[in-house]
Amino acid sequence: MVPSSSTDIERFASWIEDLMRDRGYDIDSPRGGGKSKLAEDAGVHRAAVTRLLQRQSMPDLDTMRGLAHALGVPIREVLIRSGKLTANDLPEAVGYPVDTAPATAVGQRMTLEQVASALGIPDDRREMFIKVAQQFTPDQAEDDHRETGREATGRKGTRRLATG
């Protein structure tokens, strides 16, 4: 963990102020209510927001978490911008390449066949992967059958595999 300095506080507070203005929090007029509204939206005390904006102290982790949520920024970015942690302390999450992941509609669950493809399960092991995965996702077998039109082990067959 990296100790915070007055330069860190100045830089972080300026960044938070810019975010607040961008998100419509009125912090420029004396009675705009922006600090109170942000504190409410973040679920933190108004004093914590005031101390930050007056460059008196760096917020604690709970306050930073609330600010990140209220301002719509990743907590990783908030922690790095605060100077409390570095980018090396919080490596980026590893994602799958977009072109290899099967396309699904928002909120739609992937079929086990799609999961196998996304994970790169070889064709000669795919059927075994699907049978094993069905034991942990009993409704998935029926979904696979409906979506792909191929025969799939039903709920009773899945239970038999799972229990005995």
Side-chain angles (χ1 to χ4, degrees):
M1 188 141 166
V2 179
S4 298
S5 69
S6 60
T7 305
D8 290 336
I9 294 171
E10 173 61 39
R11 203 171 323 148
F12 184 67
S14 293
W15 179 66
I16 293 291
E17 284 176 345
D18 290 343
L19 286 173
M20 289 175 71
R21 287 183 186 101
D22 289 347
R23 306 303 193 266
Y25 292 97
D26 184 359
I27 58 171
D28 297 313
S29 60
R31 298 194 189 274
K35 289 185 268 189
S36 296
K37 178 70 172 133
L38 177 63
E40 179 183 323
D41 292 349
V44 301
H45 291 283
R46 184 182 186 277
V49 174
T50 299
R51 283 192 302 271
L52 170 62
L53 297 180
Q54 290 178 350
R55 280 65 169 169
Q56 293 174 349
S57 67
M58 189 66 78
D60 63 18
L61 180 59
D62 287 335
T63 301
M64 285 190 190
R65 187 179 293 121
L67 291 172
H69 176 73
L71 296 170
V73 294
I75 186 66
R76 178 183 190 278
E77 185 170 355
V78 171
L79 291 169
I80 292 170
R81 294 253 190 175
S82 73
K84 289 195 179 252
L85 295 171
T86 67
N88 290 336
D89 295 327
L90 296 169
E92 294 270 352
V94 176
Y96 294 102
V98 175
D99 59 344
T100 62
T104 59
V106 175
Q108 183 181 356
R109 187 168 61 179
M110 293 171 63
T111 66
L112 291 175
E113 186 68 39
Q114 290 171 323
V115 171
S117 293
L119 292 173
I121 304 295
D123 290 339
D124 62 326
R125 295 180 182 216
R126 194 163 291 200
E127 185 177 340
M128 179 58 70
F129 170 81
I130 291 171
K131 284 181 180 179
V132 171
Q134 284 173 341
Q135 295 179 42
F136 301 101
T137 57
D139 294 335
Q140 187 70 44
E142 294 168 13
D143 292 347
D144 284 352
H145 180 68
R146 273 196 305 274
E147 291 178 22
T148 64
R150 63 182 175 77
E151 191 171 321
T153 305
R155 189 182 298 260
K156 289 181 184 173
T158 303
R159 283 194 187 124
R160 238 187 340 266
L161 286 171
T163 59

